[in-house]
Amino acid sequence: MRTKVALMYGFGEGDYHGRAFVAELKEQGMQVVRDPKKADIVVTHSGGCFFLPPLDLNQKFVLINPPYWPGKSLLVSSIEKVGKDFMDFTRDGKLITWLWKTCINIAHLTRYAIKTLTITLGAHKQRFYEALRDECTIIIRSDADPFLSPKADQLLEQKYGRAIPFYRLPGQHDTCWRDPKAYVDIIKQFAETK
């Protein structure tokens, strides 16, 4: 039976952003489902980690670049993220692609304004922290991510008294959407562990 994976997008994101990621999941033999309650593995990106379903002991959770940087505001992280994104797309000669993607980001932010406000104001009350207590959770951090502290593994180990599996990959906050293979490789490996 194929592993069922659900994606939970962060603010300003949706199916348009995740299409290459979904294609890679399918390429590697996984089934993508919409309802996270029906998934074997729930994959969140960024603020999507704050909308995890009630934790189920039979599920695994993969948190990609969750916003966790004590002492750093979401506004500062967001400005850094937009700047890094712009630089990456410009360097790759894809300025029009960046403009289109940014317009879609803005449309999502507008459409889901309440979700965005909930993430911003109530992040500390969400299931993200419950998931970190669960031994079936891993975190993937892109090296240049402005939302997840490079010391998050140490900070979280101090907070929870145990090491949380922590993977580091090259790239920035949204690299998982542009080049998903390394992320999906980790997810597939995680799916195969007991």
Side-chain angles (χ1 to χ4, degrees):
M1 193 162 130
R2 294 192 305 162
T3 301
K4 294 177 185 171
V5 178
L7 290 177
M8 299 191 73
Y9 298 103
F11 40 84
E13 299 176 334
D15 291 340
Y16 172 82
H17 301 90
R19 63 197 189 285
F21 199 98
V22 167
E24 185 64 32
L25 286 167
K26 290 177 180 177
E27 176 72 24
Q28 292 204 31
M30 290 174 256
Q31 179 183 353
V32 178
V33 297
R34 288 239 178 235
D35 186 352
K37 293 176 185 171
K38 295 180 180 174
D40 302 308
I41 297 180
V42 178
V43 177
T44 72
H45 178 254
S46 191
C49 70
F50 298 126
F51 292 93
L52 287 168
L55 302 186
D56 181 332
L57 294 177
N58 297 316
Q59 288 182 306
K60 294 180 178 183
F61 301 92
V62 177
L63 311 178
I64 300 173
N65 296 324
Y68 180 77
W69 197 316
K72 185 176 183 184
S73 76
L74 287 175
L75 178 61
V76 169
S77 295
S78 297
I79 291 168
E80 288 178 15
K81 184 261 183 209
V82 171
K84 288 178 182 186
D85 217 26
F86 175 78
M87 297 301 286
D88 282 355
F89 277 84
T90 302
R91 183 189 65 236
D92 294 345
K94 296 183 177 183
L95 184 58
I96 300 298
T97 304
W98 178 82
L99 287 169
W100 177 247
K101 180 190 82 71
T102 302
C103 287
I104 293 173
N105 286 133
I106 292 167
H108 276 288
L109 286 170
T110 304
R111 183 176 177 197
Y112 300 109
I114 292 175
K115 177 181 175 181
T116 303
L117 188 62
T118 303
I119 289 172
T120 305
L121 298 178
H124 65 284
K125 299 176 184 174
Q126 307 298 333
R127 290 194 178 96
F128 165 57
Y129 298 102
E130 291 176 31
L132 293 176
R133 290 193 289 267
D134 191 321
E135 293 188 8
C136 291
T137 300
I138 64 171
I139 296 174
I140 302 174
R141 181 184 191 274
S142 303
D143 286 337
D145 182 55
F147 287 95
L148 181 59
S149 169
K151 296 180 181 178
D153 53 343
Q154 299 160 27
L155 295 168
L156 292 168
E157 184 173 355
Q158 291 169 3
K159 184 172 179 140
Y160 293 103
R162 70 173 181 82
I164 295 166
F166 202 87
Y167 296 82
R168 296 176 191 276
L169 291 173
Q172 50 99 345
H173 191 68
D174 287 344
T175 298
C176 63
W177 303 139
R178 292 182 71 197
D179 190 13
K181 185 174 184 338
Y183 296 84
V184 175
D185 286 345
I186 292 170
I187 294 165
K188 185 172 184 181
Q189 178 186 358
F190 185 44
E192 293 168 354
T193 62
K194 297 269 179 180

